[in-house]
Amino acid sequence: MSVRKSIAGFVSAAVTGAVLVVSATPAFAADPDDPSFTPTAADLIGVGSDTTQHAVHLLAEGGTVNGTAVPGWNAAHTPLIASFAATGGGDIALPSGSIPRPNGSGAGKTLLYGASNNTDIDFARSSSSLNTAEISAGLKQFPFALDTLKMAVSNNVPSNAPASLTGAQVLSIYKGDAITWDQVGGASTATIAPKIPQSGSGTRSFFLAQLKALNGGVDVTLGQNVAEVQEHDDTLIKGDANAIAPFSVGRAALLGTTLRLEGGWSAQRALYDVVRGADLGNTDLQAVFGEDGFACSTAARSLIEASGFQQLATPAHGGVCGQATQDPTSNFTLNQQVDTLTVLTGTNPAAGKIHLSAAVTASSAPDGTVDFLEGATVLQAGVPLAQGKATLDLTGVAKGNHTYTAKFVPTGGTAFDPSQDDATVMSRGASATAITFTPSTTSYGHPRTIKATVTTGGVAATGSISIKVGTAAAVTKALSSGAASLVVPATKAAGSYAVVVKYLGNATTLPSQASKTLVIAKAKPVISETFPLATLVGQPGKGTVKVAIANSTIKPTGTVLIKLGTKVLVKGTLSSGQVALTLPKLSKGTHTLTIVYSGSVNVATGSLSFTITQK
């Protein structure tokens, strides 16, 4: 970045020929192409061309293209790009203080040199090449996009202009030789109302240069009826059947359908970002505008096209994008490259082993190979893609973090762009895991503890384990002195469960796992009853049958029968582990009765005999 200091002045470019000034004072409202943030001295600040303000705004802050969000430079880079619109927002706030908003290419470039030099400004947007004064001041320009200039007339009201105009007819209109439309092939005798962009506009200077070329290399004196307007503002054109003005095809497209572009004469031009020659070595500016910079990258192409222009190809592909120059660009080779994305992932499947996988994607199947590197060391070059992926397995990798790079190298002659990605992978050693169950077999109704111990080389490991019992979710536990435990609740149903203990590893030790089987047997029932020892004649025997699990608070479910021999006397269903029953009248004498418990999914069957005397 250049040294910052306050602005010394502001100089407008000279106007060639007589014009009628009809442009209105710009509204002092925020412009959508202004930065969305307040720039600091560290940021790359730009002003200038109305033509390219939206393009550079998108390059800086991104936008939505065909329904997809495309990030700009500012999404992942610093310093940020802060590009101020040419009109619409009043003064602009710079780190060293506010200044009047520069309106147009010339006004922007003026702030890069001479008495008006403002070191808060790092670049100027321009839709015309450098003039003699700007070249003498040492300014340099980076071409990045192609625009076409055509003549625009109203499409909101029927224009009196013919459908097409030759270069000679355009020249005659702006010299004032052709006053009415019928003089240039139109059907109407209405007076032509030609417009030209304001002083300092790059479109104006480019258009005047085209008129000069049409005029045999002689500067054109504009006709008295030529009115000056804000460049690329359709306000004084779209409602006037006789208005005509030079217009950027790209900028016209952003206005919708208000204008009709004339057939016939047109002129192609490059669009530029201009910097001081002394700043060409600035790596930040080169990273944005240079041959390998963001503005010339395939990743930025959709943003440039969304602003109505076409991206120029870089010198590596026969173009001039990002090539600092003082000459006007005549090489309009366009970027036809296909953007690619390389994503590198790495795993540590075993001690001292690393598996690398590079996935390369593009709008069509990428054609090329992948080079794998660690730092500057090439591990393997030219690994072919198989279904868009290239892999590499490494052995004997030392413990610790390793940063690898995968570089996609397109096949020569293809349109694919190279891409690369980095990944950091930890290489770790092996671990020994011991798991102990206490006990490995238990019975329903009693909690049991699964205890796992983890050692590495005989030393208690650090980190965490996960314990999974059957289909239940795994539970993660931190190791303490190399051990951790999980309590299996007493309510865990009877059955056989696979228990898997996974050591999750740490910075130096790989994950590992071990498994065992936990058997939860059905609980043995403990049956009791409260029937009387004897009953009097005419009085039924009443009592309660209880079924319990020894040393457990869990109450069994199921049914109980009281039988005399094989005869069922009464049946009941347990509620909270018990049921009240009434015996039928028995014959006189002493009887041995049997309580039969049916069992459940978690409790085994059981029985209990007792005697009762019927008097």
Side-chain angles (χ1 to χ4, degrees):
M1 299 288 287
S2 51
V3 178
R4 305 288 185 183
K5 61 182 180 181
S6 299
I7 187 171
F10 184 81
V11 179
S12 297
V15 179
T16 301
V19 295
L20 173 65
V21 179
V22 296
S23 57
T25 301
F28 279 52
D31 192 287
D33 283 336
D34 274 350
S36 62
F37 58 95
T38 301
T40 68
D43 296 321
L44 299 176
I45 300 175
V47 294
S49 169
D50 163 272
T51 306
T52 65
Q53 69 180 42
H54 188 58
V56 177
H57 177 78
L58 292 182
L59 288 174
E61 305 200 18
T64 300
V65 181
N66 297 325
T68 301
V70 179
W73 169 267
N74 293 354
H77 301 87
T78 55
L80 304 178
I81 301 172
S83 177
F84 286 92
T87 62
D91 290 353
I92 59 174
L94 299 178
S96 299
S98 296
I99 64 169
R101 184 176 293 264
N103 182 5
S105 303
K109 288 183 283 188
T110 296
L111 299 185
L112 296 176
Y113 70 98
S116 297
N117 182 57
N118 185 323
T119 51
D120 277 336
I121 305 300
D122 297 289
F123 69 94
R125 305 182 305 270
S126 182
S127 57
S128 61
S129 187
L130 299 174
N131 62 30
T132 301
E134 294 159 355
I135 292 173
S136 297
L139 299 189
K140 295 284 187 174
Q141 58 192 8
F142 293 102
F144 73 97
L146 174 65
D147 183 31
T148 300
L149 201 69
K150 290 190 175 185
M151 304 309 297
V153 298
S154 173
N155 194 47
N156 279 3
V157 297
S159 174
N160 289 320
S164 180
L165 290 169
T166 66
Q169 289 171 327
V170 172
L171 176 64
S172 67
I173 290 173
Y174 278 85
K175 288 177 66 175
D177 295 339
I179 302 299
T180 59
W181 287 113
D182 60 322
Q183 293 177 287
V184 289
S188 173
T189 58
T191 300
I192 304 171
K195 318 293 183 188
I196 195 168
Q198 81 284 359
S199 174
S201 157
T203 298
R204 178 194 179 103
S205 62
F206 180 76
F207 181 60
L208 289 175
Q210 300 306 304
L211 293 180
K212 180 178 179 179
L214 292 169
N215 198 41
V218 178
D219 285 332
V220 171
T221 299
L222 297 175
Q224 294 295 322
N225 61 334
V226 178
E228 186 177 274
V229 295
Q230 173 62 41
E231 72 170 325
H232 303 134
D233 184 345
D234 63 354
T235 303
L236 298 178
I237 304 170
K238 62 185 178 182
D240 186 346
N242 297 307
I244 186 170
F247 228 91
S248 157
V249 171
R251 288 291 284 166
L254 298 179
L255 297 174
T257 60
T258 61
L259 301 177
R260 189 191 85 207
L261 297 179
E262 290 286 284
W265 179 84
S266 66
Q268 289 184 315
R269 60 174 174 174
L271 303 175
Y272 308 91
D273 290 298
V274 181
V275 302
R276 300 174 182 88
D279 288 342
L280 280 182
N282 185 313
T283 56
D284 293 332
L285 287 171
Q286 288 288 345
V288 175
F289 302 122
E291 295 178 23
D292 297 321
F294 180 70
C296 294
S297 70
T298 303
R301 184 171 67 191
S302 64
L303 295 172
I304 292 173
E305 291 174 348
S307 63
F309 309 122
Q310 295 172 287
Q311 187 185 47
L312 295 174
T314 62
H317 297 99
V320 294
C321 189
Q323 192 172 61
T325 181
Q326 290 186 319
D327 298 324
T329 293
S330 58
N331 180 345
F332 298 135
T333 302
L334 300 177
N335 180 11
Q336 303 296 326
Q337 295 303 110
V338 177
D339 193 22
T340 66
L341 174 66
T342 296
V343 177
L344 176 63
T345 56
T347 58
N348 181 203
K353 294 184 178 181
I354 298 292
H355 175 76
L356 299 175
S357 177
V360 184
T361 56
S363 57
S364 58
D367 184 1
T369 59
V370 173
D371 294 345
F372 290 97
L373 303 89
E374 182 174 7
T377 302
V378 178
L379 302 175
Q380 184 70 53
V383 179
L385 291 174
Q387 297 182 330
K389 289 186 178 181
T391 61
L392 179 65
D393 290 302
L394 305 175
T395 58
V397 181
K399 289 183 181 180
N401 280 324
H402 296 261
T403 300
Y404 301 101
T405 300
K407 293 183 176 181
F408 171 62
V409 181
T411 299
T414 64
F416 294 102
D417 268 343
S419 57
Q420 67 181 62
D421 189 33
D422 297 329
T424 298
V425 188
M426 171 69 74
S427 176
R428 295 174 285 187
S431 67
T433 302
I435 301 175
T436 304
F437 293 105
T438 313
S440 58
T441 300
T442 185
S443 61
Y444 175 76
H446 303 97
R448 284 296 181 266
T449 299
I450 296 174
K451 182 179 181 181
T453 59
V454 183
T455 57
T456 302
V459 178
T462 59
S464 299
I465 62 171
S466 71
I467 305 177
K468 182 177 176 62
V469 179
T471 59
V475 178
T476 299
K477 296 282 186 176
L479 292 172
S480 176
S481 299
S485 300
L486 174 70
V487 176
V488 179
T491 54
K492 189 72 172 177
S496 181
Y497 297 92
V499 179
V500 179
V501 176
K502 291 183 178 181
Y503 172 54
L504 304 182
N506 59 26
T508 59
T509 307
L510 280 168
S512 57
Q513 71 178 54
S515 61
K516 268 194 174 184
T517 299
L518 173 64
V519 177
I520 300 179
K522 286 188 176 185
K524 293 181 179 181
V526 177
I527 304 171
S528 62
E529 49 79 24
T530 61
F531 288 97
L533 295 175
T535 57
L536 298 176
V537 176
Q539 294 181 352
K542 293 183 178 181
T544 299
V545 176
K546 295 182 179 180
V547 181
I549 300 172
N551 301 316
S552 176
T553 59
I554 294 178
K555 307 298 184 182
T557 60
T559 60
V560 293
L561 306 174
I562 298 180
K563 302 171 69 176
L564 177 59
T566 59
K567 181 180 179 181
V568 176
L569 300 179
V570 67
K571 179 180 180 181
T573 301
L574 295 175
S575 176
S576 298
Q578 62 183 23
V579 60
L581 298 171
T582 300
L583 296 173
K585 183 178 179 181
L586 299 172
S587 61
K588 286 184 179 182
T590 298
H591 302 277
T592 299
L593 305 181
T594 303
I595 299 172
V596 179
Y597 169 55
S598 64
S600 67
V601 293
N602 293 312
V603 184
T605 60
S607 63
L608 174 68
S609 296
F610 67 98
T611 60
I612 187 168
T613 301
Q614 180 72 57
K615 295 184 177 180

